[in-house]
Structure formats: C-alpha cells, structure tokens
Amino acid sequence: MMPQRVRLQHEAAARHPTSIIGCQVRREPPNSTERYTRWINQLAPDQLLTQVFTSHGPTVVMPTWFCSRAWFSHVGPFDEGGRGVPEDLLFFYDHLRRGGGVVRVDQSLLLYRFRPGAATQSVLESTIWTHRVCFLEERALRHWATFTIWNAGRQGRRLYRSLSEGARRKVVAFCDVDEKKIQKGFYCYEESQERPKPRVPILHFRAARPPFVICVKLAPLQGPHLGHVLVEDVISTGPEIRHLRTGTSSAVLGMALRCWLLARARGATLEKSPNYGESRSTLRPPSRDQGWS
C-alpha cells in the first residue's frame, strides 16, 4: 500500500459518502493479468457504473475498496460462505442495489500481487455467470418488453439458455454480422420442454430492432469493422438511447467479452435508492470522442 492511500481515499469518501472508493493498482509480477489490470486502471468515471455487468466483475478491484463504516453497515456484511463464494461481487451488487456509487482515485496506491492458488481462483466461472445473468435481468431486462441478442454464436445462445423463462420470452431475435449464421434463419432451443420448441429468428444486424444485448469478444469490438458498425449504425439512431454494458466469458479473468445493452426504452436505467438522498441515475451513450475502450 502506498503511504498516501488512506489520506487520498478518505478525502474521496468524505466527498462521496455513499460510494465505494477504489484506486489504480500496480501488479506484481508486472505482466500478470495485463488485460484485466489495464481495464481496472483505465475505465472512465462514467464507465465505473456502465461496465458493472462485464465478466471482469467489480469495476474497482476489491483490495482497493474504501468506504465509511455507516455505508458498509447499510449495505450489509460480506457473504461468509467460504471458498467458492464470490463475496466481493455479491457485496458490489448489493451496494449498487442500494443506490451506491463507484469512484476511483486515479493514482496507483496499491501493489496488487498475483498469487497462484488464491481464494478468488476457487470461484467457478459458472457461479459467476449465474449471478451476473440474474443481476442483468434484475437491473436491465425487467425494464424491457422485448430485446434482441446481438450474437447468434455460442455465447449469445448460452445467454439465451441461461435466462429465466420470462426473460427468454422477451427475446424477439438474434442478430449477427456472420452470413453463415444469418442463413440458418433461426435458433431452435432444443432443451426446452415446450412443444413446439421455441425458434428464435436470426437476423442481419441492420434488420434488428433495439434494445440490444450485444455480446461479442473484446478484440472484434476494437477492430475497424464492428467498431464502425456500433458507432455509425447503433449510436447514431438517436440521443434517447440508454445503454448498459455486460459481457460473457469462458473464465473468470480469461478472454474478456463485453456486451452493450442499447435501449430506446426510457425505463432502461440504473435506479438509485431513495435512501441517503440519492436520485435516479440515467446512463447516456458514450460520445464519439470517448470511444469504446
């Protein structure tokens, strides 16, 4: 821990009494979890809330957390279920449910060591996935009458299968840029007990309608083709779009994927609790200058 950490985070907590205060970190060894470290250190202030659904988990890393005892008591204790329980993620979600904010001191105030065999590695990816899908439904999908899943591939289909029955019924289509997937015409949910089995259309992305849950790998999002598609064909549809972000992953800190939830519906917001005088927080799409990183 850097000597100025407590002072700087305490000052930030005094200004933001209902927020978790984090900071930037330096990794030891330096090259461990490079992509994850870059993500937690470089998120813009607004992204600390808009990227709470990603496979990376909390947008400020748990060892950096700082908040008042009063706020900690308001949120509730950590889940002490032991190894295999993602107690930081669960506390973070409860914090957001109670209207808490997320603030990062933009200085490297902690040496964050990577240790093989650390307790965090005992948490199964399937456990993380289940909590994330439930939180996604609770905070976003329940506001929408219908939505489209952008990705007709493995991860998009996994998301569809993982949804509750009520949320699955809201999925009007998959959409994609891959002509081979589009030519299939539909996805059949073979595991369903319904007869006939549900068939969800697969559309070209230009034929799909928002809101979207866009679920694609990080690298393609940064490429020129899909990045251009997202900015020119999605964000330009109007200032009334609301967005959240989420992702899927084959490992807790493995290949990160991001999803963007882009909604015309005014109800698709992160809601703040009336406790502590907080007001509703409306998420707006990033500007063209801000980019997608």
Side-chain angles (χ1 to χ4, degrees), residues 105-238:
V105 175
D106 286 334
Q107 293 189 39
S108 180
L109 303 177
L110 183 76
L111 180 64
Y112 187 23
R113 290 184 175 86
F114 174 81
R115 293 189 301 105
T120 186
Q121 296 175 38
S122 71
V123 182
L124 298 177
E125 188 273 340
S126 58
T127 301
I128 297 284
W129 174 266
T130 299
H131 287 299
R132 290 174 52 224
V133 172
C134 289
F135 191 67
L136 173 64
E137 289 194 26
E138 172 193 331
R139 303 292 284 180
L141 303 187
R142 72 183 181 90
H143 294 288
W144 300 346
T146 62
F147 64 96
T148 300
I149 296 177
W150 185 318
N151 186 347
R154 180 173 62 88
Q155 293 293 350
R157 297 194 303 269
R158 183 191 182 193
L159 175 61
Y160 176 83
R161 294 192 301 269
S162 299
L163 294 171
S164 66
E165 182 178 349
R168 273 198 306 272
R169 292 183 183 279
K170 294 183 177 184
V171 179
V172 293
F174 291 89
C175 70
D176 213 292
V177 297
D178 187 337
E179 291 295 339
K180 291 182 179 179
K181 295 186 180 72
I182 296 167
Q183 288 172 6
K184 291 181 180 179
F186 63 89
Y187 165 67
C188 181
Y189 181 31
E190 296 290 352
E191 293 88 345
S192 175
Q193 300 301 311
E194 295 182 47
R195 294 294 183 275
K197 295 182 183 293
R199 291 190 173 191
V200 184
I202 301 175
L203 308 175
H204 189 278
F205 73 91
R206 294 185 190 278
R209 69 173 190 261
F212 298 102
V213 178
I214 304 181
C215 183
V216 294
K217 293 182 180 179
L218 175 61
L221 276 176
Q222 293 179 327
H225 176 66
L226 186 54
H228 176 79
V229 166
L230 287 171
V231 173
E232 298 299 328
D233 293 287
V234 178
I235 292 303
S236 62
T237 57

